Amino acid sequence: MSAPTPIQSCLTLTVAVAGLLVNALVLRVIGGHDHDDVNTASARLHVLGDMLVSLAAVAAALLIRYFGWPAADPALSIFVALLILGNAWNLLRHSAHILLEGTPEDVHVADVAGTIERETGIAGVHHVHIWQIAGGQRIATLHARVARDAESGMALVAIEQVLRERFGIAHATIQIEQGEHCAGEECRRHRQ
């Protein structure tokens, strides 16, 4: 049977504390809590994982030094790996949702169409699609049916203002349709 080398708890503790401080500084530099930006969230998750590893190494070094429990290091490593795996899974799901152009979870298409209609007086907002890109920027496409004598430019400005101010959508492609307004079931059917 092999004889394992004794763990140098003082050296482990020193290196782990240094790693913890460096990662705390990096996390502060990354800053922000914008969960829609997948790139920043990934970087933050990586640094938090490194911080957890350093914290686990500090705890393991103390447990080994004062309680003589060498199994603390692998036990805490497994615990940290499971925490990181759970957070990585959530980030992967969020990334897949963005890549598949899913509607952001806090946005409901029917609410967007209804808010535009209420606040602009334009009846007939339909074919509404909203998604976001990895940087957190939200994008929309929609059709808006206006009266034949309505000014299309003013309708565009009004819709863009509602999208920007109420839903954080900075980029929208809007098709103005002139003619009779869609109503009731016809508009509801096209909002999805």
Side-chain angles (χ1 to χ4, degrees), residues 29 36-37 42-43 47 56-57 59-61 66 70 78 84 86-87 107 114 119 151-153 164 185-186 188:
V29 169
D36 282 342
D37 186 344
S42 298
V47 173
Y66 294 108
I78 290 169
I84 292 171
N87 285 316
V107 175
E119 295 190 11
E151 172 58 44
S152 296
R164 186 175 45 256
E185 187 58 35
E186 181 189 353
R188 280 192 292 279

Side-chain angles (χ1 to χ4, degrees), residues 113-156:
T115 301
I116 292 170
E117 289 176 353
R118 268 191 317 279
E119 295 190 11
T120 65
I122 298 170
V125 175
H126 56 282
H127 288 299
V128 180
H129 301 281
I130 302 167
W131 66 98
Q132 68 185 30
I133 56 177
Q137 181 183 10
R138 293 180 175 184
I139 300 170
T141 61
L142 61 92
H143 294 209
R145 194 169 291 168
V146 298
R148 290 192 191 281
D149 57 349
E151 172 58 44
S152 296
M154 290 175 57
L156 280 173

Side-chain angles (χ1 to χ4, degrees), residues 3-27:
T5 306
I7 297 173
Q8 297 178 14
S9 60
C10 278
L11 178 60
T12 303
L13 184 61
T14 303
V15 171
V17 168
L20 188 61
L21 293 173
V22 167
N23 283 305
L25 177 66
V26 171
L27 188 63

Side-chain angles (χ1 to χ4, degrees), residues 106-119 125 128 130 162-163 166-167 191:
D106 62 333
V107 175
H108 301 283
V109 171
D111 291 344
V112 172
T115 301
I116 292 170
E117 289 176 353
R118 268 191 317 279
E119 295 190 11
V125 175
V128 180
I130 302 167
V162 170
L163 290 172
R166 297 292 304 268
F167 300 100
R191 285 182 181 167

